[in-house]
Amino acid sequence: MARQFLNERDLFRRKTSLTAMTTIPPNQSLYVRNLDEHVHKEELRRSLYYLFSQHGQVIDVVALKSMKMRGQAFVVFREIASATSAMRSLQGFPLYSKSLEDPVSIAYAKSKSNAVKIREGAYLGAGKPPSAAAPAIAAGPATPSGTKRPHDGDEEDGDAKRVRNEDGTEEQGETAGDEEGAGPTTENPPNRILFLSNLPTSVSEDMLAMLFQQYAGFKEVRLVPGKTGIAFVEYETDIQADTAKTVLNGFKLAPTVSMGVEFAKI
DNA sequence: AGCACA
């Protein structure tokens, strides 16, 4: 009589243990896969940092170009909850994905990142930490190229394909003032509306909001019905718009698509 | 697809 109940419990146990074995438990670190493989490492780290920081404090971004690890990255959060939130909302985001139909996939990492171990006080008495708490991307967006570490160990440009210059592919820059450093053409006077150009066709308002809402004064993103590739973003003041413009002009939502950000003409 | 960092 009691046999049936036992059987049910056994089944349940089996089921739960199977689930537990096949599921990766929550982790502060996210494993990001299916990234375009010839985006330069520092640029990749910077972009991932921008994007993921919107969900919580990112303490490190690890991207390696070794044969085994290319096209993948680890984004390390201080809190598991932030990692979970980022994983859910950035799943499939077309950032450096190989194509828009083949988006990046995000999962919890299988093991604990060094940056986390260090924070938790491992290595205290023991030997030397792997690195002095990798300073991630430093204090933030305002430093496009201002990262420490002249070269993080594995610059193996030699065997890994050829060194394609990352910007060489995008010749479609017909918008005024897109490339950093390129001589500013006719630039519109500062105002609170930004004009975005050269966007991937399938970009959504939500995706753009993710990028732009991290700067103070953000009000809204507006796609233009009937037109692809462009959008407007509104801030409360010209100054705030200018800040976002400076940081996000040239931001790549896909390997060959560098978004143009300029003041809208009024 | 591929789970590392020193």
Side-chain angles (χ1 to χ4, degrees), chain A residues 4-248:
Chain A
Q4 291 155 318
F5 293 108
L6 286 179
N7 284 341
E8 276 184 7
R9 262 174 51 167
D10 280 357
L11 279 177
F12 177 76
R13 282 197 183 144
R14 250 171 233 192
K15 197 174 126 194
T16 43
S17 62
L18 265 185
T19 307
M21 290 176 76
T22 44
T23 303
I24 301 169
N27 192 313
Q28 280 105 320
S29 302
L30 295 176
Y31 171 64
V32 183
R33 213 200 67 206
N34 215 26
L35 294 159
D36 186 274
E37 296 183 0
H38 39 261
V39 177
H40 283 197
K41 189 166 64 180
E42 285 314 319
E43 187 190 344
L44 180 65
R45 293 180 72 220
R46 185 184 69 137
S47 302
L48 290 173
Y49 179 84
Y50 287 155
L51 197 56
F52 283 78
S53 288
Q54 293 156 95
H55 298 271
Q57 190 181 342
V58 172
I59 61 177
D60 200 7
V61 178
V62 177
L64 302 184
K65 295 185 79 177
S66 65
M67 215 54 68
K68 190 180 172 195
M69 287 297 115
R70 52 192 302 137
Q72 300 147 80
F74 296 87
V75 179
V76 187
F77 283 93
R78 204 160 63 86
E79 305 289 340
I80 291 180
S82 310
T84 303
S85 142
M87 181 172 67
R88 292 198 180 131
S89 54
L90 294 177
Q91 201 65 258
F93 191 90
L95 175 81
Y96 296 124
S97 54
K98 294 174 180 170
S99 77
L100 294 170
E101 298 75 38
D102 189 12
V104 299
S105 90
I106 307 173
Y108 292 119
K110 288 177 181 166
S111 57
K112 190 172 281 193
S113 299
N114 282 345
V116 173
K117 292 186 187 166
I118 289 169
R119 272 188 63 86
E120 288 177 348
Y123 307 107
L124 273 190
K128 60 285 167 106
S131 89
I137 281 57
T143 34
S145 51
T147 319
K148 289 85 194 153
R149 319 154 121 190
H151 55 137
D152 320 16
D154 61 349
E155 295 310 291
E156 40 182 62
D157 321 316
D159 50 356
K161 302 284 168 71
R162 254 138 259 136
V163 185
R164 318 189 183 191
N165 61 336
E166 43 182 350
D167 304 308
T169 16
E170 24 159 353
E171 289 304 332
Q172 61 250 74
E174 62 228 84
T175 24
D178 43 344
E179 283 313 290
E180 38 174 297
T185 333
T186 35
E187 195 175 357
N188 297 318
N191 72 82
R192 66 190 67 182
I193 314 278
L194 297 175
F195 174 68
L196 313 188
S197 57
N198 217 20
L199 300 170
T201 338
S202 71
V203 81
S204 71
E205 285 186 351
D206 283 349
M207 291 174 188
L208 293 173
M210 275 189 242
L211 288 178
F212 284 86
Q213 75 192 172
Q214 58 186 335
Y215 300 103
F218 171 83
K219 287 180 76 176
E220 67 169 356
V221 173
R222 292 188 294 273
L223 295 182
V224 183
K227 296 211 177 211
T228 62
I230 65 171
F232 293 91
V233 181
E234 183 175 347
Y235 281 86
E236 263 150 25
T237 69
D238 332 2
I239 313 277
Q240 292 169 325
D242 189 32
T243 303
K245 169 179 166 300
T246 303
V247 183
L248 292 174

